[in-house]
Each structure stands twice: as structure tokens, then as C-alpha cells.
Amino acid sequence: MASSQLVKVLIVDDDNFTRRIYKTMLFRFCFEITEVEDGKNAIQQFVDGNEYDLVLMDKHMPNMDGVEATRTLRGMGIPVKIVAITDDASSKDTFMDAGADKFLLKPLTFSMLTDILKSFNFLN
Amino acid sequence: MNSQDLQNLQLIQIALERIRNVERPLSVSSVSPFINNSTILSSCGVLCLNPTQESINQEGNTQREKAMDVNMLQRTYSDLLTSLFREGILNQQFTELQQLQDENNPGFVYEVVSLFFEDAGRLINELISNFNQQAVDYKKIDAYVHQLKGSSASIGAEKIRSVCQTFREYYDKNDIQGCYNCIQPLNQEFVTFKSKLEALFTLEQQIVAAGGSIPMMRH
């Protein structure tokens, strides 16, 4: 867990609309939320020394897509929980091979998110 | 007839004159300076309403009218929302968004749908503009449609999402004519979606202004 009891979430999606919806869902749990627009900025967050408990990772993004970002984070030894959320069902195996912990198809619903958070014990 | 009777008669005549000159029933307060005998008053046909009762009745009528207005608005809202689901313009994802709206996020649905109007409007304009170029950049167009498909799916704009899906199927088969044929329906679905959701939000504002609450639909 990141240092402090507050769950820290990084939202990685190039669509500000999608990020807005995820933020509203996550605010229900009083989590600390950061958002970035692509995989490259996601990597930079960790390079800058930031710690997160959970990453919600989109696939198709400019500069660096979600699969590459996931692979890079695992290559850096970052143990954060990564949940791939995309409408590209065919990318599941690629994401899981890159090191994602879970794979979900868009659109994300509140109950899907709650199930994921429970499975990671973030709702205790 | 004694002098007292004469005096009473004169008072009654004044009271009757007042009654003839007003449209509403007179209250005691308006005739009591002249007559304070309830028997005489009732014989003049003056409704013996005390001021408090009269204002309570008026207040009750106003509240009943307001309640009827709110009910009517709520019914209109429910009917419109039901029709949007029945026609396939909205899907269950929209209900998910409504459920995210609470006292901490009171305008959440309006905010995200307004964002969608802006984003989708821009994307569709880009699509149309790109298709009108001499050298069409289909990769760029596919990227726009991909983005539009994602955002429409996120808010439950089912028909828009569906046309985007059809476009991408044509794109995957390199069917350029098929792609092109999707643009006009896409624009039309967006225009329809926008006008109907704007009507829905207008009704919401009217319901809230009338003191009512927004009906929640379960689908």
C-alpha cells in the first residue's frame, strides 16, 4: 500500500470525459485521485517518485499506449495494481502478458469498479 | 320599525353594496366595521370566513396547484425518459450515470452530458471536414470515430455508439464507401440525441424550480 491509509489511484486515459466519470465513481470512496492523458505521463508519475495503489489503464492513447505503459512499469519493478479498461476485447491477452492484474471492457460501471476494489481489498 | 331596526337596515344596505362591488366573497374583516352580528351577516349572504381561514384556504389552493404542476412535470419527464430508452437512444449506462449523481455531485449527469455534447460535436465536425478533403486521412477519421464510440458508450448514447461500431466494421474491411455512408446518420443521431437530452434537462430544471424531485427510472 502507498504510504498513508488513503488509497491512491492513477487514472490513465486520453479521454477527459472518461476520466471525469471514473473520478466521480472513485470520489464515492474518498480515494486520492490523479489523472494523466497517456502512458508516457503515467510512467513519469512513478519516475517522479509518486506512489499509487491502483492504476486504471486505457489502451489506445497517444505517445504511449496502455500495453506499453504496463510493460514499462513492470520492467521498472513497480508492483502497483494495474487494471486495464478498454473497449478492445482482443487486447486482453496482450495486456495480461504485459503484466496487468485485471482486464475490463468499457464502459466501466460502478458495480464493476466496486468488485475490482473489493478483490484488491481496497474497501476495508 | 324602530330606530335600531332602521340603523341595522342601513348597515345591511352598505354591506350589500360592498358585496355587489367585489368579485370574491367578502370576509368578516371587510364588513365588520358595519355589522358585527353574524346572524345579520349570514342573512346578507356574506360568507362568514375569518381572515385566517380565508388565507389558509387560498394558501391551500396555491399549494394544490403547485403540487399538480410538479406532478405533471414529473410525469412528462418520466414519459420522455422512458421513450428515450424504448427508442434505443439511451441504454442502461445512462442509468448508471444517474445513480452516480448525489448531494456531493448534484449536477453530475448534466455536466458529463454537456461535456459529451461539446466533444462529440467537435469530433463530428472534424469527421465531416476530413471527409470533404481531397486527400482523406482515414487513419485520423478512424481515431475520431474510436474516440466518439468510447465516449458515447460511457454515457449510454446507444444509437451513436452503434453507428460508430458500424463505421469501424466498414473500416476494418477497408470499405471506404461504407465508412462514408455512416457519417450522415452519425450526425443525425447526434442532433437527435442532443435535442432530446436538452429537453430532458429543461424539464429537470422546471421540476426542481417547482420544488419537486427528479423521478428515477429503473431499466
Side-chain angles (χ1 to χ4, degrees):
Chain A
M1 193 87 138
S3 60
S4 94
Q5 292 301 308
L6 201 60
V7 175
K8 294 185 178 179
V9 183
L10 179 65
I11 299 172
V12 189
D13 200 303
D14 59 334
D15 182 19
N16 66 345
F17 180 81
T18 301
R19 292 197 309 269
R20 177 71 181 90
I21 294 177
Y22 291 178
K23 271 198 307 193
T24 301
M25 290 183 185
L26 290 165
F27 274 140
R28 289 278 184 98
F29 304 106
C30 300
F31 290 172
E32 189 177 309
I33 299 152
T34 305
E35 52 181 303
V36 293
E37 292 180 359
D38 58 45
K40 195 173 172 185
N41 281 304
I43 303 300
Q44 194 59 47
Q45 284 289 315
F46 290 91
V47 166
D48 290 346
N50 295 299
E51 290 183 349
Y52 296 96
D53 301 293
L54 175 66
V55 176
L56 301 183
M57 185 79 80
D58 183 23
K59 181 173 186 285
H60 295 288
M61 293 179 287
N63 300 323
M64 185 188 287
D65 74 13
V67 173
E68 193 183 339
T70 300
R71 195 173 289 121
T72 306
L73 285 173
R74 292 307 187 221
M76 289 163 63
I78 308 287
V80 67
K81 300 288 184 202
I82 299 176
V83 178
I85 310 176
T86 173
D87 62 356
D88 183 359
S90 67
S91 65
K92 182 176 179 182
D93 289 343
T94 317
F95 251 120
M96 299 309 281
D97 289 343
D101 295 285
K102 301 270 184 189
F103 179 90
L104 296 176
L105 280 177
K106 281 182 176 178
L108 182 70
T109 65
F110 190 69
S111 60
M112 284 161 72
L113 178 66
T114 310
D115 288 345
I116 286 287
L117 295 174
K118 278 182 189 166
S119 73
F120 291 145
N121 289 323
F122 286 145
L123 296 185
N124 295 331
Chain B
M1 190 184 287
N2 60 31
S3 63
Q4 183 61 46
D5 289 335
L6 191 59
Q7 194 180 14
N8 284 343
L9 187 60
Q10 284 169 337
L11 290 171
I12 289 168
Q13 281 175 330
I14 292 168
L16 284 170
E17 196 55 43
R18 285 183 64 85
I19 292 167
R20 274 197 290 272
N21 289 335
V22 299
E23 291 176 2
R24 292 164 44 197
L26 286 175
S27 65
V28 167
S29 58
S30 64
V31 297
S32 59
F34 307 98
I35 302 173
N36 56 16
N37 184 308
S38 58
T39 307
I40 294 173
L41 283 172
S42 57
S43 69
C44 292
V46 176
L47 293 177
C48 290
L49 297 171
N50 64 55
T52 307
Q53 182 64 45
E54 186 180 4
S55 62
I56 286 171
N57 281 3
Q58 284 170 8
E59 180 68 21
N61 287 338
T62 307
Q63 283 177 346
R64 267 192 296 278
E65 281 165 7
K66 266 191 182 172
M68 281 169 62
D69 285 343
V70 169
N71 284 341
M72 190 187 69
L73 286 169
Q74 287 172 328
R75 267 201 307 275
T76 308
Y77 177 92
S78 297
D79 288 346
L80 176 56
L81 193 55
T82 301
S83 74
L84 290 174
F85 281 96
R86 191 178 53 239
E87 291 166 31
I89 292 172
L90 292 178
N91 64 23
Q92 175 64 23
Q93 186 64 15
F94 187 79
T95 308
E96 288 275 335
L97 292 190
Q98 288 183 307
Q99 289 169 352
L100 287 176
Q101 185 160 295
D102 57 19
E103 58 276 4
N104 296 319
N105 276 293
F108 173 64
V109 177
Y110 179 80
E111 190 193 325
V112 293
V113 173
S114 300
L115 254 180
F116 175 76
F117 287 163
E118 227 176 273
D119 274 3
R122 178 185 52 83
L123 286 169
I124 289 173
N125 283 339
E126 294 280 357
L127 279 171
I128 293 170
S129 159
N130 268 274
F131 258 111
N132 289 333
Q133 309 268 349
Q134 281 214 325
V136 181
D137 185 344
Y138 287 102
K139 204 169 176 186
K140 197 184 257 187
I141 285 173
D142 181 55
Y144 289 145
V145 174
H146 171 78
Q147 201 177 331
L148 187 55
K149 181 171 162 252
S151 54
S152 59
S154 293
I155 66 163
E158 175 56 25
K159 284 198 172 180
I160 296 174
R161 186 209 63 79
S162 177
V163 177
C164 291
Q165 176 66 32
T166 304
F167 175 98
R168 303 209 76 218
E169 285 165 6
Y170 282 125
Y171 181 83
D172 288 341
K173 288 188 271 191
N174 288 319
D175 185 340
I176 302 305
Q177 187 60 46
C179 290
Y180 182 78
N181 291 344
C182 288
I183 300 303
Q184 200 274 334
L186 185 58
N187 188 46
Q188 187 53 54
E189 292 298 345
F190 172 69
V191 166
T192 302
F193 178 83
K194 188 162 184 268
S195 75
K196 299 221 174 195
L197 270 285
E198 282 173 342
L200 198 72
F201 290 136
T202 300
L203 277 169
E204 275 190 8
Q205 286 167 3
Q206 288 171 341
I207 290 169
V208 168
S213 59
I214 312 300
M216 197 53 128
M217 305 296 291
R218 300 269 168 212
H219 292 268

